[in-house]
Amino acid sequence: MIREGGCLCGAVRFKAEGEPLNVRICHCRICQKAMGSPYFARAQFDQKALTVAGDTGRYASSDNIDRVFCKTCGTRLFAWRRNGTLAGVALATFDDRNSFAPTEHIWVSEKLAWVKLDDGLTQYETTIPA
């Protein structure tokens, strides 16, 4: 299956082939700052499963991850691993924004105090245990 999406202005479009490896909500401080939101809800794909068209910019938010955004409207689209393996795709950027539902919360130790997690999903204080 191929699912499509893009930014607010339409200058960047993407296709994601197959099923995501996981669908999580990250509450870490880096994601909060990068997304300008209390958390980053994303579907993680192998980078080879993604096709991106349009003019994107990148910002190195950590040693391992670039945040990819539309240069025209600023929509934050992906958390792209620099080692060429994985990319987190912002759930709300899919054309069908209900394509995927998260199954876990990660980095809940850094969630905002007023965010209530009563959805019954598994929660991890930091990242997923190895």
Side-chain angles (χ1 to χ4, degrees), residues 36-54:
S37 175
Y39 48 80
F40 178 33
R42 54 95 178 133
Q44 192 168 64
F45 286 87
D46 186 305
Q47 287 179 11
K48 295 178 191 112
L50 296 171
T51 305
V52 181

Side-chain angles (χ1 to χ4, degrees), residues 27-95:
H27 297 269
C28 81
R29 187 65 177 136
I30 293 173
C31 281
Q32 291 169 2
K33 291 283 239 178
M35 300 307 289
S37 175
Y39 48 80
F40 178 33
R42 54 95 178 133
Q44 192 168 64
F45 286 87
D46 186 305
Q47 287 179 11
K48 295 178 191 112
L50 296 171
T51 305
V52 181
D55 195 14
T56 60
R58 289 178 179 249
Y59 175 77
S61 62
S62 71
D63 290 340
N64 302 317
I65 294 178
D66 285 344
R67 302 297 171 144
V68 180
F69 56 92
C70 172
K71 282 187 174 181
T72 302
C73 67
T75 298
R76 296 158 181 99
L77 298 158
F78 312 111
W80 203 268
R81 293 225 181 139
R82 281 202 216 117
N83 66 5
T85 58
L86 304 171
V89 182
L91 294 183
T93 63
F94 284 95
D95 292 342

Side-chain angles (χ1 to χ4, degrees), residues 87-109:
V89 182
L91 294 183
T93 63
F94 284 95
D95 292 342
D96 177 0
R97 60 189 174 168
N98 292 302
S99 290
F100 307 107
T103 59
E104 301 161 318
H105 292 273
I106 58 175
W107 288 99
V108 296
S109 61

Side-chain angles (χ1 to χ4, degrees), residues 4 13 15 21 24-25 36 38 40 44 50 64 81 88-89 91-93 96-97 108 112 118-119 121 126 128:
E4 298 185 34
R13 297 289 301 161
K15 293 180 182 181
L21 303 169
R24 297 180 178 140
I25 298 171
F40 178 33
Q44 192 168 64
L50 296 171
N64 302 317
R81 293 225 181 139
V89 182
L91 294 183
T93 63
D96 177 0
R97 60 189 174 168
V108 296
L112 294 173
D118 57 2
D119 53 17
L121 300 180
T126 56
I128 300 294

